[in-house]
Amino acid sequence: MNASGKLAEAKNRFLATLEIVRRELVVLKYSHGRLFASDIDPSWVEHLETNMDDAEKLEAFVSRFGRTQDTIGDKLIPRALSALAEKTSNVLGNLNRAERLGWLASVDSWLVARDLRNRLVHEYMIDANQFAEDVVSADRQLGSMQPRRRCAFGHIQPQPATGWDAKIWRRVEIRGDITIQVWGVPTTNSVAATLE
Amino acid sequence: MRLTERARHVIKDSVSEIFGPSAIVKLFCSRTDVELKGGDIDLLIECPAPVAESGLKTAKVSARIQRQLGQQKIDILCTWPGAPLSPVHISAIKNGILL
């Protein structure tokens, strides 16, 4: 396969991954809403022992939170870089690059969110006060992972393209809550996405 | 101890910046056993008094260390006088090596 064929393949791969992330964000948002409909305080944590329903809500949120982060960090970002014909390195290297490109507001926030999520799955849940505090911290950190109102990943001016593969340019909208818009811009030979 | 000097400094500085200079940090688990190769970094932060939002602060320390040392598996426990202790906490307090 020649270079331009490989690049086209990289772009398609990125778009396929973007679709997966879109779906993961939808279900994460759902689980987030369900969990935080309750007041997460020490007594809520203590009742987890017998309240199977709430335990399941917590589990769903934590696992979806982690999975979405992993997909974005391990797959979406490196594939976005490859689609832009950029070299990829290790996870931290890619995150730093994403930060420089304006896709992530803060690698620090990213890492903090990751650590908070890991704390929630640890066996160290020995203190209901601490656990409740950590769940709330994780929630706040998740909010800061969508750092700009319009843009979690960098965007490029949308233009319906001429001479561009029409399949690459598409817009996906989910109930106006989570919108992922993808533009292909042939002049800069790049593909980017905006998550709102 | 298998930590490099640089790693030691990064860890101590990160803890001091987030928890203040009176917090002490100990290394425990796999990294203290000379027989084992590599492994995760397990740290215990002992504070002189209860800390608000300790989970968030601990996460910040972890993030700071990772940014400087590269992403590794870093597990950090935080404790203070009177805090509830798990068996892991107890072991870390007892066997941890002061950095």
Side-chain angles (χ1 to χ4, degrees):
Chain A
M1 195 185 291
N2 61 16
S4 69
K6 281 201 174 135
L7 198 59
E9 202 176 75
K11 283 174 181 166
N12 286 329
R13 208 158 182 236
F14 162 70
L15 289 173
T17 310
L18 188 64
E19 176 55 26
I20 291 170
V21 169
R22 178 197 69 77
R23 178 64 195 169
E24 286 179 352
L25 281 171
V26 169
V27 302
L28 171 60
K29 194 175 163 80
Y30 172 80
S31 292
H32 175 272
R34 291 249 298 160
L35 175 64
F36 289 96
S38 314
D39 257 317
I40 312 297
D41 57 22
S43 76
W44 181 91
V45 175
E46 272 152 11
H47 286 124
L48 284 179
E49 187 69 13
T50 47
N51 190 331
M52 291 291 114
D53 205 46
D54 278 354
E56 205 167 46
K57 284 182 203 167
L58 175 68
E59 169 70 35
F61 169 68
V62 173
S63 100
R64 283 171 168 179
F65 183 175
R67 188 178 333 139
T68 306
Q69 250 205 319
D70 287 348
T71 308
I72 293 175
D74 296 346
K75 296 185 180 156
L76 188 67
I77 290 178
R79 287 171 189 179
L81 291 171
S82 297
L84 293 171
E86 281 214 19
K87 270 191 146 183
T88 58
S89 66
N90 59 15
V91 173
L92 194 59
N94 295 336
L95 290 174
N96 284 328
R97 185 71 188 130
E99 189 184 63
R100 249 173 277 134
L101 286 169
W103 296 352
L104 274 184
S106 161
V107 176
D108 275 326
S109 285
W110 181 271
L111 294 173
V112 170
R114 195 160 199 274
D115 193 79
L116 283 168
R117 181 258 166 182
N118 286 340
R119 296 179 69 77
L120 295 178
V121 301
H122 256 220
E123 287 89 57
Y124 305 135
M125 194 189 122
I126 42 143
D127 176 2
N129 291 295
Q130 187 61 56
F131 195 75
E133 198 182 73
D134 287 351
V135 173
V136 171
S137 290
D139 175 36
R140 283 203 211 107
Q141 205 62 28
L142 179 64
S144 84
M145 269 169 60
Q146 292 148 31
R148 297 155 205 198
R149 272 182 33 85
R150 294 190 63 79
C151 183
F153 280 76
H155 72 93
I156 293 170
Q157 314 317 315
Q159 300 173 29
T162 50
W164 185 253
D165 183 351
K167 290 195 291 268
I168 301 291
W169 192 93
R170 61 169 175 254
R171 184 179 166 155
V172 178
E173 198 171 303
I174 309 295
R175 293 193 210 101
D177 289 344
I178 294 175
T179 308
I180 296 180
Q181 298 171 315
V182 182
W183 298 275
V185 183
T187 49
T188 58
N189 199 34
S190 59
V191 175
T194 298
L195 288 118
E196 292 188 49
Chain B
M1 187 158 31
R2 305 183 71 79
L3 287 183
T4 62
E5 259 312 292
R6 177 160 181 265
R8 227 181 113 250
H9 280 297
V10 165
I11 290 169
K12 287 188 77 174
D13 287 347
S14 303
V15 172
S16 176
E17 274 162 40
I18 310 270
F19 282 91
S22 50
I24 67 171
V25 54
K26 290 178 179 170
L27 179 73
F28 67 98
C29 271
S30 61
R31 286 264 183 160
T32 63
D33 188 333
V34 233
E35 310 289 321
L36 292 172
K37 293 185 182 176
D40 312 335
I41 296 178
D42 296 289
L43 302 169
L44 173 75
I45 301 173
E46 289 185 50
C47 303
V51 178
E53 294 196 304
S54 61
L56 180 61
K57 291 196 170 95
T58 311
K60 284 183 175 169
V61 170
S62 171
R64 210 167 275 223
I65 295 172
Q66 283 178 70
R67 287 216 78 166
Q68 294 179 73
L69 298 184
Q71 201 174 17
Q72 316 191 37
K73 225 174 148 263
I74 299 172
D75 269 333
I76 310 181
L77 300 180
C78 175
T79 191
W80 50 79
L85 301 173
S86 73
V88 186
H89 282 88
I90 293 167
S91 166
I93 291 168
K94 211 174 81 151
N95 303 319
I97 292 175
L98 190 67
L99 289 187

